[in-house]
Amino acid sequence: MGNLWIGPPGSMYEIDQAAKSFDRTADLGVSEFKSLGGRVTVTRNLAPVRRIKLAWDLLPPAHARALDRIARRVDSSLAPTVFLVDPAAGNVLTAGQALGRGTTKATDITGLAQWFTTSTGTVAESATAVGAFTFTAVSADSALAWRCVGTVGNFPVSPGLQVSFRAPTAIAALSTESVGLDFKKADGSYISTVSASGPLVTGTVPANAAYVTPTCKPGTAGTYSLAGACLTYGGTAADGIPGDGLPPMSVTGYSDTPGRPLPFRNFSLDLVEVSGAAG
């Protein structure tokens, strides 16, 4: 398990001190209505929203200053939303991506657009399993990549962060597969690739990188399930880890009090998953 990182792509700050408290409970948005006859009706949000509450005691001044700048949006050039690399998350792919699933007959981010081909080959909904998606490789050069749902399409990173990717289970079982991590600048332009033969690749984000795109090449023509893929920050990707996602978040509250002894500070931070943050 790695450290917590927080901030905008390319400028996420590493907090290497464990939080005193760390609540990452998702808000299910469940409401109950009880009729006069005693029957209960339940409504809930289609997509639970994650709320994260962090608190530190005696945080070093450098860490506290960085969190304070993020909370107060001191750097106007930085985006109003931030990303939180949660050390408790073993897979930053969405739950659907990790399962190789999306909305049936969809072409938006919940369906086909969670993945894209980088050469030949096609991504399509399975003809035999509703909502399940597959990749059809037509040659040894056919390749596939994963999009980050909720961003410009690439997964946000910062220099020095360790990233690890494992191919979907069906492709990992082959003896011809290879995987890669394509690192890109803030404008999306390509920097470099870390690649490996086999199902697993791990690399450190290079200087000037703000995004990463995981890629996979089966190396053998055929149709493969996309279930079982894993993208991990700060650890080693493994098979069968549920997807937590990596949504943009906004700071909704914070506290910053002097600690004893000075110059240490006691700091807390509240964040919520968002689709956007104006202002």
Side-chain angles (χ1 to χ4, degrees), residues 91 93-102 115 131-133 225-229 241-243:
N91 189 353
L93 298 180
T94 66
Q97 282 177 317
L99 293 171
R101 301 189 64 84
W115 307 273
F133 287 79
S225 167
L226 295 177
I241 299 179

Side-chain angles (χ1 to χ4, degrees), residues 107-118:
T107 57
D108 61 5
I109 58 174
T110 63
L112 295 178
Q114 294 184 112
W115 307 273
F116 65 97
T117 58
T118 61

Side-chain angles (χ1 to χ4, degrees), residues 8-11 152 154 157 183-191 207-212:
S11 300
V152 295
N154 302 300
V157 294
F183 295 108
K184 302 171 182 178
K185 296 179 181 179
D187 61 3
S189 59
Y190 173 81
I191 296 177
N208 301 318
Y211 296 102
V212 65

Side-chain angles (χ1 to χ4, degrees), residues 95-106 110-115 122-136 144 168 170 223-228:
Q97 282 177 317
L99 293 171
R101 301 189 64 84
T103 303
T104 181
K105 298 181 180 180
T110 63
L112 295 178
Q114 294 184 112
W115 307 273
T122 57
V123 177
E125 186 177 358
S126 171
T128 58
V130 176
F133 287 79
T134 61
F135 173 58
T136 298
L144 174 72
T223 297
Y224 306 98
S225 167
L226 295 177

Side-chain angles (χ1 to χ4, degrees), residues 140-169:
D141 293 326
S142 297
L144 174 72
W146 279 251
R147 281 194 175 97
C148 182
V149 178
T151 70
V152 295
N154 302 300
F155 290 85
V157 294
S158 279
L161 177 61
Q162 180 181 302
V163 182
S164 181
F165 176 68
R166 183 177 175 84
T169 306

